Amino acid sequence: MLHQELARRRDPMWRWERPLLREISMYAQGLNQSDPAAVTASPEAARFQARIDAEDKIEPNDWMPEAYRRTLIRQISQHAHSEIIGMLPEGNWITRAPSLRRKAALLAKVQDEGGHGLYLYAAAETLGVTREDLVDQLLAGKAKYSSIFNYPTLTWADIGAIGWLVDGAAIMNQIPLCRCSFGPYARAMIRVCKEESFHQRQGYEIMLTLCRGTAEQKAMAQDALDRWWWPCLMMFGPPDAASQHSDTSMMWKIKRFTNDGLRQKFIDATVPQGHYLGLSFPDPALRLNPESGHWEHGPIDWEEFRRVVAGGGFCAADRLDARRRAHDEGTWVREAAAAFAAKRTARKEAA
Ligand code: FAQ
């Protein structure tokens, strides 16, 4: 750890990053209300960090700094909300899928997303929160979910673009999460990633079919790529210099790569796929740097990202209304399940 820290201080970026690090450490201490010093100073914290450095998995009953617990609750619950809200843009197209085969695949995909949300809420619950509280925070508009799900799905090609690009971005972000230091999150991610891989392929296959179809169908695919490309790049989060949580999350091996690092991996993997489809990317600055082997991109509109994350996305109000309606309409199901569980417990106690 020490030699890494010294190498970092020799880096010219260090001076520039210092205010950011101060902010991060204030943030971490702010979260660790029960014992601020425990983040770095206590023997438990040192043992905890040694376990992380040794690639041990942290399990729910193990000692952990309060800030680690809260960081995980924040990330896992935002991830769970993203899956549940993420069902809506595609759910919107189930009744209009162009064939029985497409409808069956889309239904299965949207159901998988519901399942991912449930694994993730369950993983968050192992950290001492309840699913009910997390869902209440979402419905009250207090919890974040991924910015990408605030964009509308205007045509069938958007379903192809979501599978190819949104699931493609999700996989790029989630494969490293299979090695996250927190056991329940890492294990949930293994199954989620297998399913996301099917989602990505079904999306790419829709794009391929449209691109091999009529000129009108290809134009629809191009229009979808034009609208989804930049928002997908924003899914990876703010640039590294503005990412509040990356340094601590990487120290704790919750995150394995920075936001910009994953964004670049996604661009490098996706651009050749788009070219194979015969499509162009809505970025005049996109070019392959022959020396680095990476695709360089133009500036991302971070103002748009901030606006969408702050609740100003085009579909933000619709998305929350749809979830609130579904929650209200599901009240009787929750009540029936609770009554059944109470009856079963009473029967067991009586026996
Ligand atoms: N949207 O300091 P950082 C999917 C927030 S699942 C909204 O860099 P961090 C499957 C961030 O929360 C997609 N907010 O934060 C699917 C923080 O705010 P806070 C979801 C964002 O946590 C496919 C602040 O900005 N995936 O797509 C976004 O270290 C198709 C500062 O940012 C996950 O959640 C954003 N894009 O890194 C479903 C994966 N980016 O909490 C249906 C797990 C950042 O301080 C259909 N999460 N923010 O108020 C992660 O890997 C991380 O949380 C990042 C952000 C990388 C998203």
Side-chain angles (χ1 to χ4, degrees):
M1 288 297 285
L2 187 63
H3 71 271
Q4 278 169 359
E5 182 58 17
L6 290 174
R8 186 182 160 84
R9 283 169 192 237
R10 279 196 295 274
D11 185 332
M13 288 293 280
W14 162 249
R15 256 166 294 143
W16 183 74
E17 278 180 353
R18 244 184 325 197
L20 185 72
L21 287 176
R22 220 179 0 252
E23 223 174 82
I24 287 165
S25 96
M26 276 161 57
Y27 162 79
Q29 290 182 9
L31 286 184
N32 194 2
Q33 287 160 348
S34 59
D35 182 9
V39 174
T40 51
S42 71
E44 288 108 319
R47 267 197 301 275
F48 171 82
Q49 190 60 45
R51 288 189 62 195
I52 300 267
D53 293 342
E55 299 288 336
D56 241 9
K57 286 279 176 264
I58 306 299
E59 298 298 337
N61 290 332
D62 295 346
W63 186 91
M64 61 184 80
E66 199 49 30
Y68 176 84
R69 181 188 301 279
R70 291 191 187 208
T71 294
L72 279 166
I73 293 173
R74 178 185 66 76
Q75 177 166 328
I76 299 173
S77 63
Q78 287 176 4
H79 194 166
H81 300 325
S82 302
E83 296 280 358
I84 299 297
I85 294 278
M87 297 167 78
L88 297 169
E90 290 167 293
N92 191 26
W93 275 89
I94 290 171
T95 54
R96 291 175 288 164
S99 68
L100 183 60
R101 174 173 168 263
R102 293 292 186 205
K103 193 192 283 272
L106 187 57
L107 261 174
K109 179 183 192 291
V110 172
Q111 281 178 353
D112 283 354
E113 283 151 9
H116 298 173
L118 298 188
Y119 308 149
L120 286 161
Y121 284 128
E125 282 190 307
T126 68
L127 290 155
V129 283
T130 67
R131 180 168 139 193
E132 287 73 20
D133 282 348
L134 297 176
V135 170
D136 284 349
Q137 284 166 21
L138 174 69
L139 299 181
K142 290 184 194 153
K144 284 199 173 80
Y145 60 87
S146 180
S147 51
I148 194 70
F149 302 117
N150 290 308
Y151 292 85
T153 38
L154 303 180
T155 72
W156 173 250
D158 289 9
I159 301 307
I162 289 181
W164 171 36
L165 301 172
V166 177
D167 284 281
I171 292 170
M172 199 54 89
N173 168 278
Q174 286 166 195
I175 293 278
L177 289 176
C178 298
R179 293 190 293 122
C180 164
S181 56
F182 186 57
Y185 193 25
R187 290 189 288 272
M189 279 302 109
I190 293 171
R191 177 157 179 180
V192 168
C193 283
K194 286 184 185 161
E195 293 176 351
E196 300 287 24
S197 160
F198 148 69
H199 297 174
Q200 196 266 355
R201 283 163 206 213
Q202 70 84 41
Y204 193 72
E205 203 242 341
I206 292 174
M207 294 301 272
L208 197 57
T209 306
L210 291 172
C211 290
R212 288 177 175 167
T214 64
E216 206 184 349
Q217 287 171 321
K218 188 162 180 190
M220 223 162 82
Q222 180 65 60
D223 172 60
L225 172 56
D226 290 347
R227 284 182 289 106
W228 288 92
W229 178 245
W230 291 109
C232 281
L233 299 190
M234 295 174 195
M235 278 178 76
F236 295 92
D240 291 352
S243 166
Q244 257 168 289
H245 306 299
S246 279
D247 279 20
T248 34
S249 286
M250 287 185 62
M251 177 181 82
W252 284 327
K253 299 192 175 166
I254 295 172
K255 279 166 100 162
R256 297 278 177 160
F257 294 95
T258 67
N259 298 355
D260 287 334
L262 285 176
R263 192 169 8 253
Q264 187 62 52
K265 277 175 182 281
F266 172 73
I267 295 171
D268 290 342
T270 310
V271 170
Q273 295 170 358
H275 290 161
Y276 181 78
L277 293 172
L279 298 177
S280 58
F281 287 81
D283 178 358
L286 192 68
R287 67 176 272 278
L288 183 65
N289 180 328
E291 275 160 32
S292 68
H294 294 301
W295 285 88
E296 290 172 353
H297 62 86
I300 296 175
D301 183 353
W302 291 116
E303 205 33 60
E304 172 176 327
F305 174 75
R306 268 189 286 275
R307 186 174 50 75
V308 174
V309 172
F314 186 78
C315 296
D318 279 1
R319 299 291 184 240
L320 279 186
D321 281 353
R323 282 313 314 159
R324 287 186 190 121
R325 217 172 28 249
H327 191 75
D328 290 347
E329 287 169 5
T331 304
W332 71 270
V333 180
R334 290 190 297 279
E335 284 171 359
F340 179 69
K343 213 183 319 180
R344 224 165 43 167
T345 310
R347 242 189 249 139
K348 244 193 221 149
E349 279 169 3

